[in-house]
Amino acid sequence: MMSPAARYCFLPRLPRRVAPFPSEHLSSYLHRLGEANGLPGHELGNHVTNTGIAGRQAVHDLTGLPERTLVFALPELRTADDVTTYPALRGSPAAVGAANSCPCCARRHGLTRAVHVWATHEQVLCQRHRVWTGGPVLTCTDRSPRIDITALPDILRAHRHHHRLIARFGREPVRRAFEDASSIVHEWHNLLPWPFRPVHARLEVLEPNPNRWYLT
């Protein structure tokens, strides 16, 4: 019987090249790559998993994209040595927290819909397009994949302030404090429903129908 690696060697490079989105989930990228080349569903992702070849090498062979492009765009393909080889990766999102990409940024890359990306805890919105995307701590479900926060400049200011805190104290201490604060506020909401007028004011701007308000 022919080994998976040997079978793989007979497969040609895919005819259509697809650029990965920055920090995209590998499964999301392989799905888009497969669709562009006429492969159904997750067939390409299953194939890469079953080849017996390291994921980075397999994706490189299938796409012909330079290793640097794959390492910078797809966190799951990185190794511990990559930060040494590519110092610019330091501080980039690791494959630990899921979020949605900004749909406006996705369109700038020629995509018709947002893609799933890896994100650090503070990557919950797009400052350029003033869109709330949600992040690893403050999630944003597919029910509302795009929330326009143009009318809420205080959220944008808070986000900039959060970045200054990270620069001053480091990402991990700020992340831990942020998660603790989120849990505390959530508990306050559970014990005293809607105690804060600023929360009401923001909700009224984002969703005029109170029946669609959610504590999360």
Side-chain angles (χ1 to χ4, degrees):
M1 180 179 292
M2 190 179 296
S3 69
R7 288 199 300 271
Y8 176 84
C9 291
F10 289 98
L11 291 174
R13 180 168 295 169
L14 294 173
R16 293 199 63 184
R17 181 179 288 192
V18 174
F21 190 84
S23 299
E24 185 171 4
H25 281 204
L26 181 59
S27 60
S28 170
Y29 173 64
L30 292 177
H31 188 82
R32 295 195 301 109
L33 181 64
E35 283 185 338
N37 285 277
L39 299 174
H42 298 287
E43 182 176 310
L44 183 60
N46 293 334
H47 167 69
V48 169
T49 301
N50 295 327
T51 57
I53 297 176
R56 187 150 102 191
Q57 185 63 46
V59 176
H60 168 72
D61 291 348
L62 285 168
T63 64
L65 292 171
E67 178 187 82
R68 189 181 189 280
T69 298
L70 298 176
V71 168
F72 271 76
L74 301 168
E76 288 157 278
L77 298 184
R78 295 174 192 165
T79 67
D81 297 330
D82 285 331
V83 174
T84 302
T85 307
Y86 307 106
L89 282 174
R90 197 175 303 278
S92 298
V96 293
N100 293 320
S101 70
C102 168
C104 300
C105 290
R107 283 197 294 272
R108 291 179 64 239
H109 283 74
L111 305 178
T112 57
R113 59 182 183 272
V115 298
H116 295 299
V117 297
W118 297 107
T120 51
H121 79 273
E122 79 280 6
Q123 292 177 318
V124 294
L125 59 85
C126 175
Q127 285 275 1
R128 176 193 292 269
H129 297 109
R130 300 183 179 183
V131 169
W132 182 273
T133 57
V137 179
L138 300 179
T139 59
C140 180
T141 66
D142 291 337
R143 185 184 65 84
S144 301
R146 182 187 186 280
I147 300 177
D148 188 342
I149 55 174
T150 303
L152 296 171
D154 57 321
I155 292 180
L156 298 170
R157 284 195 300 271
H159 191 245
R160 289 192 291 270
H161 179 63
H162 194 97
H163 276 278
R164 289 195 292 271
L165 291 174
I166 291 173
R168 182 178 178 184
F169 298 107
R171 175 168 281 113
E172 274 305 296
V174 174
R175 180 189 63 80
R176 290 194 296 269
F178 180 64
E179 290 180 347
D180 288 344
S182 298
S183 297
I184 290 169
V185 171
H186 189 71
E187 279 300 307
W188 285 345
H189 275 302
N190 287 336
L191 295 173
L192 300 171
W194 314 111
F196 307 118
R197 179 58 199 165
V199 173
H200 272 290
R202 293 188 187 97
L203 285 169
E204 288 168 354
V205 171
L206 294 173
E207 176 52 70
N209 181 3
N211 293 327
R212 290 175 60 86
W213 292 0
Y214 292 87
L215 292 181
T216 53

